[in-house]
Amino acid sequence: MTPLYLDYAATTPVDPRVAEVMGQHLTLDGVFANPASRTHRFGWDAEEAVELGRSQLATLLGCDVRELVFTSGATEANNLAIKGMAEALAGRGRHLITSPIEHKAVVDCFKVLEAQGFEVSWLEPEPSGVVAPETLAAALRPDTILVSLMAVHNELGVKNDLAALGALCRDAGVPFHVDGAQALGKMTLNLATLPVDLMSFSGHKIYGPKGIGALYVNRGLNPPPVAQMHGGGHERGLRSGTLPTHQIVGFGAAAACYADGALAAELVHLEACREAFLRGLGALPGVHALGAGAPSMPGILNLTFDGVDGETLQMAVASELACSSGSACNSVSVEPSFVLTALGVPRALAFAALRFSFGRFTTAAEAEGAGAWLGERVASLRSPVAVSS
Ligand SMILES: *Cc1c(COP(=O)(O)O)cnc(C)c1O
């Protein structure tokens, strides 16, 4: 049997409305041309399609179209923001601030910069996984040139207080970058008022295609990040490379799916799925919700279980439920999630953690059934000597 897909935080399927639009931007009878071709109608049509996609994304974000730079994904957007700002401001200072539980695409950028001689303060998060504004306040220095903290945590679902963190950065005159990959389409983001200078997004976390993302660069940010990809000077020189029309219209169409109250409705749906899953799980003892005690995005539920071997649990679950044993990006490693380790979750419990993430195509009935099935599996794994009749 095909397992039920409960791994929407790793990636989402493309929405059929998005796939349809993308299909119209590939073949000779569609809008296939190079958007940078200024000498013919085909190119003008492609440029128009790209600009429509950009405006759809800008509408969802509450920003100006000129503040968006298309990239290959959130990984590249994080690289551009972090390495680009370090390069732009190296003459002003060498001190950077982030946390050890950021996505690998952020953590590894800072490790590279550390090896190049920058000094990095790795802020200790609260046990829930959020970074307290006081912790950031204590770390800011006159030579700090960048702060990077995520909006919604990809393993835990907890939300950082961007308004408070951003206000501290503004007061200190330090650029603030936010990895927003798990926040887009999962909370209202009004970049016109949020005190954020740079924010990374990914198409495939919002029912768009893989291989497209964007970096928001506040128009007041001076200097902007230094380009990390050189070539034809696309995207106002910030990211060279032929714009992938079909990917961008797909990203734009995916963003447009949240218009007219659909975002609020989807949040209600995700909350209903999370509640149904927990209802199905029932009163099973020895279950811990990681990230508890902080505001969270309802689509992610990270649970760990007393008294079960992590590997056995994962193998038992895999046939019926597609979930994640931490971040998909480090699931090849046999070490427990670096995030849970950094939060001080005991090793055995970290190994037994499962991240369930719900989405647009999950039904509450499926979520409830999955919770009930999981509860039975965990109970039976805890009593391996139970005799069969
Ligand atoms: C998925 C994800 C990324 C990486 O995005 P890609 O578009 O796959 O490169 C970065 N950060 C977070 C928080 C994510 O969830």
Side-chain angles (χ1 to χ4, degrees):
M1 214 195 85
T2 314
L4 175 65
Y5 189 75
L6 293 180
D7 206 9
Y8 281 81
T11 194
T12 57
V14 170
D15 189 291
R17 291 168 286 182
V18 171
E20 192 190 339
V21 176
M22 290 180 70
Q24 295 159 359
H25 293 79
L26 289 164
T27 50
L28 179 61
D29 59 345
V31 181
F32 70 93
N34 190 328
S37 293
R38 294 274 152 74
T39 48
H40 50 69
R41 175 71 191 273
F42 299 89
W44 305 333
D45 287 349
E47 188 186 20
E48 197 178 306
V50 161
E51 293 315 315
L52 172 64
R54 196 190 303 276
S55 69
Q56 287 169 319
L57 182 58
T59 299
L60 178 60
L61 293 172
C63 71
D64 191 279
V65 287
R66 286 162 298 183
E67 295 178 305
L68 292 175
V69 176
F70 285 116
T71 63
S72 61
T75 297
E76 189 192 332
N78 286 338
N79 273 263
L80 172 57
I82 297 164
K83 295 178 188 166
M85 287 314 295
E87 203 175 321
L89 292 174
R92 191 185 293 178
R94 308 280 289 175
H95 179 237
L96 313 165
I97 298 177
T98 188
S99 97
I101 64 164
E102 297 298 302
H103 191 273
K104 278 277 184 197
V106 168
V107 168
D108 286 0
C109 285
F110 281 98
K111 285 190 178 160
V112 166
L113 292 169
E114 221 169 21
Q116 291 173 3
F118 287 89
E119 184 189 344
V120 179
S121 288
W122 301 91
L123 301 184
E124 187 180 337
E126 301 298 297
S128 63
V130 298
V131 172
E134 309 81 72
T135 307
L136 172 62
L140 285 162
R141 306 192 320 212
D143 62 336
T144 308
I145 55 168
L146 181 68
V147 172
S148 179
L149 294 167
M150 74 209 308
V152 172
H153 198 281
N154 52 300
E155 286 192 38
L156 305 163
V158 295
K159 290 190 210 173
N160 272 323
D161 185 347
L162 298 183
L165 297 167
L168 289 169
C169 294
R170 283 278 153 92
D171 284 349
V174 177
F176 183 35
H177 167 252
V178 174
D179 181 342
Q182 296 288 349
L184 187 62
K186 311 277 171 40
M187 58 187 280
T188 306
L189 289 170
N190 185 3
L191 295 181
T193 55
L194 206 62
V196 165
D197 299 296
L198 301 134
M199 197 157 176
S200 306
F201 303 105
S202 175
H204 73 97
K205 303 288 172 73
I206 66 157
Y207 310 91
K210 295 167 187 56
I212 185 73
L215 180 66
Y216 158 80
V217 183
N218 188 306
R219 78 193 98 170
L221 182 64
N222 185 25
V226 173
Q228 303 294 304
M229 186 74 79
H230 305 100
H234 307 75
E235 299 294 85
R236 285 165 288 112
L238 282 176
R239 202 283 191 176
S240 290
T242 299
L243 290 173
T245 314
H246 62 300
Q247 302 287 76
I248 292 169
V249 297
F251 196 5
C257 288
Y258 292 98
D260 304 323
L263 172 57
E266 197 148 300
L267 287 177
V268 170
H269 171 70
L270 293 176
E271 184 63 52
C273 288
R274 174 160 78 170
E275 277 168 19
F277 187 92
L278 289 171
R279 193 162 57 239
L281 197 57
L284 187 74
V287 182
H288 310 275
L290 299 168
S296 70
M297 190 281 288
I300 293 178
L301 185 60
N302 198 328
L303 300 176
T304 182
F305 306 88
D306 290 336
V308 290
D309 172 65
E311 205 179 328
T312 313
L313 174 66
Q314 274 152 36
M315 280 167 56
V317 165
S319 64
E320 292 283 329
L321 302 179
C323 60
S324 176
S325 55
S327 173
C329 306
N330 62 348
S331 60
V332 286
S333 146
V334 290
E335 282 300 299
S337 143
F338 74 94
V339 170
L340 303 187
T341 305
L343 290 178
V345 176
R347 219 175 142 79
L349 270 182
F351 270 121
L354 295 175
R355 179 191 68 183
F356 299 94
S357 45
F358 313 104
R360 186 174 292 168
F361 306 113
T362 314
T363 68
E366 284 171 341
E368 184 163 355
W373 183 86
L374 177 71
E376 283 167 25
R377 294 310 303 164
V378 171
S380 74
L381 287 174
R382 281 174 177 161
S383 52
V385 291
V387 286
S388 57
S389 51

